Amino acid sequence: MPASDDVVIMSSYENQTMLKLVKEGKVLGFAAEYPVMMGRISVDLAVRALEKKDHEKVLLVAPGIVTKDNIDEIDPTQIFAPDGWKPEFSVQ
């Protein structure tokens, strides 16, 4: 199918490829749910609860839209794992 100037793509999935495609102008934007930020908040709340410290019961992270207009203003470390990061599934 030939490319068309009247077609725009908006991604509902966030990954490094979408970030690259937004920068290149090939994708209009993508929804960012800030999973790294949510993970950090979750660990912090769990530690506070285990230590019996005061903590919020409900915290919400507002999703955002990343576009070429705001891509230089976002903090990608709140959305994506660092380059080269690999999960560890066992601890000795």
Side-chain angles (χ1 to χ4, degrees):
M1 183 176 220
S4 173
D5 290 338
D6 62 346
V7 174
V8 294
I9 300 171
M10 183 72 165
S11 175
S12 63
Y13 189 72
E14 57 192 0
N15 62 26
Q16 296 287 1
T17 300
M18 287 304 112
L19 186 66
K20 176 180 168 275
L21 293 174
V22 168
K23 286 180 180 179
E24 293 173 354
K26 294 179 180 175
V27 171
L28 182 63
F30 62 86
E33 296 184 19
Y34 302 99
V36 174
M37 183 187 309
M38 287 192 290
R40 289 176 178 159
I41 290 170
S42 299
V43 169
D44 182 66
L45 288 175
V47 169
R48 288 171 183 265
L50 290 169
E51 292 177 344
K52 304 211 184 307
K53 292 182 178 177
D54 289 338
H55 62 280
E56 297 292 327
K57 304 294 185 239
V58 177
L59 287 173
L60 302 173
V61 176
I65 300 293
V66 177
T67 67
K68 196 168 187 173
D69 293 335
N70 68 1
I71 201 161
D72 293 327
E73 299 166 16
I74 64 151
D75 179 0
T77 66
Q78 299 299 323
I79 303 172
F80 307 109
D83 287 339
W85 181 86
K86 292 184 188 305
E88 185 173 320
F89 294 104
S90 65
V91 178
Q92 297 181 359

